[in-house]
Amino acid sequence: MTATRDADLIPAYALYGESRDFPDVLHCERLKDRAGPHGWVISPHRHLGLHQLFHIIEGAGEMELDGERRPVRGGEIISVPRLTVHGFTFEPGIEGYVVSVPNTEMARLTAGEPELERIADAPRRLPAPPLAAGAFGVLHDVRLAHAPARGPLLRALVLQILCALAQAEETARPAPSRPRATIAGFEALIREAPELRTSIGDCAARLGLSASQLTRHCRSATGYSPLAYAQLLLMQEAKRLLAYTREDVAEIGYRLGFEDPAYFSRVFRRVTGQSPSAFRAPFVA
């Protein structure tokens, strides 16, 4: 098996287990056809140029998504954008489909549509709307048929799935509150400038708030102070880097804005209950 690897040594495939260029408008196959030959285990990997949509019809399993494990069950659709590290352990015989859409096609389908761009921008896991669920089997058959207007029809079916997911997510989403909106901005700020994690006054100013307002909104939305929540965010990223890269622990700390490696390790242990090395051990065994 040949795979390209990025600087972080996370496998990056065209399709899982394959190194050839993507050959079509999109790809669609049954989960059992891809996972079965691999013992129903799809090891963590990423796709540099593909967005994937998984429809779990029947069966269950476990999904790993950017270092977090969560159950998978029938009746769900999982949307996995490009570069997102993901893997699965399925029950034998699981029924469902995976659709792989090149990033250029996804950009073309979602351009100028904020609701669809949002679906394509971050991982999503939703109960399968009937309008979306019914499209996967049709898409699978159309892809194999090579009939006239095949390309436009394949794109239309993917668009149908995306629209149904956007509608389902909007229906399930409560109207955003001011605290939740503040937290979204705070999270983006900490990701962009992790060194600001201890400068709550500076963070608040950049968000157009006072320090007391930021603290009040953060406690309302998360139950944590801004300082504690910032540390949780950074330790989540630290877990991903420890699990999926071979970077030195100190280098990970520097990347996340910690100038003292020993202090980074203490914070990691306080938040996770493990040292960075102990957390990483199962991933390198």
Side-chain angles (χ1 to χ4, degrees), residues 38 44 95-96 98 179 189 204 214 232 243 260-261 267 271 274:
H38 293 279
E95 292 290 341
V98 54
L189 187 58
L214 175 57
L232 284 175
D260 181 357
V267 172
V271 172
Q274 295 178 283

Side-chain angles (χ1 to χ4, degrees), residues 78-186:
I78 303 164
S79 178
V80 181
R82 65 183 293 269
L83 299 179
T84 304
V85 179
H86 61 289
F88 296 90
T89 301
F90 292 123
E91 289 182 347
I94 195 166
E95 292 290 341
Y97 296 96
V98 54
V99 176
S100 302
V101 185
N103 193 52
T104 51
E105 293 287 347
M106 184 62 70
R108 174 181 175 182
L109 291 170
T110 61
E113 299 292 340
E115 296 88 352
L116 301 185
E117 290 175 342
R118 186 172 63 244
I119 290 292
D121 187 54
R124 295 288 191 278
R125 178 183 172 189
L126 293 166
L131 186 64
F136 280 83
V138 177
L139 197 154
H140 180 267
D141 293 343
V142 169
R143 178 183 169 273
L144 296 177
H146 294 280
R150 173 181 176 274
L153 183 51
L154 289 173
R155 294 183 179 98
L157 288 164
V158 172
L159 188 58
Q160 177 177 323
I161 293 169
L162 295 175
C163 289
L165 292 179
Q167 290 176 347
E169 184 177 67
E170 191 61 32
T171 299
R173 186 202 312 274
S177 66
R178 181 66 187 276
R180 283 198 296 271
T182 295
I183 290 307
F186 182 63

Side-chain angles (χ1 to χ4, degrees), residues 179-226:
R180 283 198 296 271
T182 295
I183 290 307
F186 182 63
E187 290 174 346
L189 187 58
I190 293 300
R191 284 194 297 268
E192 293 170 5
E195 68 277 4
L196 290 175
R197 71 188 188 284
T198 59
S199 305
I200 301 307
D202 290 344
C203 288
R206 294 198 186 195
L207 295 171
L209 301 170
S210 67
S212 62
Q213 285 175 316
L214 175 57
T215 299
R216 187 169 65 253
H217 290 180
C218 193
R219 288 193 180 280
S220 173
T222 72
Y224 293 96
S225 70

